[in-house]
Amino acid sequence: MVQLTLSKSPEPRAPSQDESQPWRLAAEPWYDPTADEVTLFEQCHAQQLAVLLKGPTGCGKTRFVEHMAWRLDRPLITIACHDDLTASDLIGRFLIGHTGTHWVDGPLTRAVREGAICYLDEVVEARQDTIVVLHPLTDYRRILPLDKTGETLTASPHFQLVVSYNPGYQRMLKDLKPSTRQRFVALDFDFPPAERETLIVMRESGADHATAHALVSLCQRLRTLHDRGLAEVPSTRLLIATARLIVSGIAVQSACQAALISPLSDDPALVGAMRDLVALTFV
Ligand code: ADP
């Protein structure tokens, strides 16, 4: 089944709000831009172009989409992709109820009808036959055939498809087919430079500058362990989690162990090297 996150405003944002589009972000998700990604995305939205966000896990892709949905005043429907995700999970299915069989839209169909931004996170995790469903939505046709009901939906002019993927992680395992990639405008994401990452950690965790700065320095050292076999380097998300634990009163060494080191590796040599770097950073 699909994992679906709908961002629902507790109250309508304005009395004139369209009742058919109740799924809105309630408040502005804070996002610190790196370059011209906000303008690029706005133009993609205006030009009805699908967008592919490329970058490592935890570097701000989801936050960016949330921010853009808020900025463009569109509902946001997020789908976490996985290898059991079927086309029916996206499109919809007939369900049997008390009064007989009735059709229930899947999240993609709902987004197409309602003019939402539909965000498929880690799209490469989905099976190829599921990904293919997206193709007619990503070219000039902007249609979604519902084979089971015999309908062909034309997407609302506000509908936008956004997918994310982590190229470094996927390269060895699976990759997006070139025929799929070519249907998207690709925006590259990466971890921010140290001073910006420090500010993000401060803002998101409430940590002071000295703590956030030390954590970011530590993280930059830990990221070099990629060359020594660390499969996934620590993300901004992990840094924020560590900083939150510290702010809540957990000792620095424990916070780093629980939120930074343990999630990254079980390998004793790598764990030892990471602990040494923590000790060097927080003397
Ligand atoms: P991804 O979708 O790339 O896996 P997220 O968007 O969930 O990563 O980012 C993880 C966290 O990092 C966010 O919840 C946010 O707190 C923080 N973050 C990363 N980059 C930024 C940024 N540029 N502006 C604001 N917050 C950011």
Side-chain angles (χ1 to χ4, degrees):
M1 286 295 289
V2 70
Q3 258 182 287
L4 173 64
T5 316
L6 293 167
S7 310
K8 186 177 183 186
S9 162
E11 289 171 9
R13 300 175 86 202
S16 60
Q17 187 187 21
D18 182 347
E19 288 303 321
S20 68
Q21 298 185 352
W23 305 105
R24 302 276 175 170
L25 290 149
E28 178 178 2
W30 178 72
Y31 175 74
D32 184 28
T34 313
D36 58 354
E37 69 270 32
V38 169
T39 316
L40 265 170
F41 192 99
E42 280 174 342
Q43 285 312 314
C44 289
H45 188 75
Q47 303 297 326
Q48 302 187 332
L49 296 168
V51 172
L52 165 67
L53 308 179
K54 288 165 63 178
T57 297
C59 75
K61 301 184 293 298
T62 303
R63 176 61 65 90
F64 173 67
V65 181
E66 289 171 348
H67 176 77
M68 293 312 300
W70 183 87
R71 239 181 131 92
L72 295 163
D73 197 20
R74 301 315 313 155
L76 175 64
I77 294 180
T78 299
I79 301 163
C81 296
H82 53 85
D83 51 12
D84 283 337
L85 188 76
T86 64
S88 297
D89 289 333
L90 292 181
I91 291 175
R93 48 172 55 89
F94 281 105
L95 293 182
I96 302 166
H98 295 302
T99 51
T101 328
H102 63 283
W103 173 258
V104 178
D105 279 347
L108 179 65
T109 307
R110 201 179 314 156
V112 164
R113 286 193 208 271
E114 296 181 6
I117 292 178
C118 188
Y119 177 46
L120 284 103
D121 196 11
E122 296 292 354
V123 69
V124 79
E125 294 293 338
R127 295 199 315 244
Q128 191 53 35
D129 57 328
T130 307
I131 291 177
V132 161
V133 165
L134 306 174
H135 283 193
L137 281 169
T138 54
D139 56 35
Y140 68 94
R141 293 172 291 171
R142 286 175 58 85
I143 55 166
L144 180 63
L146 306 183
D147 292 343
K148 287 181 183 161
T149 65
E151 275 178 280
T152 297
L153 298 182
T154 300
S156 151
H158 304 296
F159 166 78
Q160 187 174 20
L161 187 66
V162 182
V163 302
S164 76
Y165 104 117
N166 174 350
Y169 169 62
Q170 313 294 351
R171 208 178 305 136
M172 294 170 288
L173 308 164
K174 30 189 164 177
D175 212 340
L176 272 184
K177 281 198 166 186
S179 58
T180 301
R181 292 173 68 126
Q182 289 213 21
R183 294 172 172 275
F184 294 87
V185 171
L187 304 185
D188 288 303
F189 283 72
D190 207 344
F191 300 120
E195 205 41 51
R196 268 193 57 229
E197 195 165 35
T198 303
L199 292 176
I200 292 170
V201 172
M202 287 170 70
R203 164 106 194 204
E204 294 288 300
S205 69
D208 58 31
H209 185 272
T211 306
H213 181 70
L215 280 173
V216 169
S217 309
L218 166 66
C219 200
Q220 294 206 316
R221 291 170 171 165
L222 292 175
R223 284 173 186 158
T224 64
L225 293 176
H226 189 46
D227 300 337
R228 287 178 50 190
L230 192 62
E232 281 259 279
V233 296
S235 63
T236 309
R237 183 191 294 124
L238 281 193
L239 270 185
I240 293 166
T242 312
R244 281 192 184 151
L245 287 181
I246 294 170
V247 169
S248 76
I250 302 287
V252 171
Q253 309 286 342
S254 299
C256 289
Q257 174 64 38
L260 209 47
I261 298 177
S262 267
L264 287 175
S265 181
D266 302 318
D267 180 282
L270 281 170
V271 168
M274 287 194 269
R275 279 200 186 132
D276 290 346
L277 289 174
V278 171
L280 268 175
T281 308
F282 296 99
V283 277

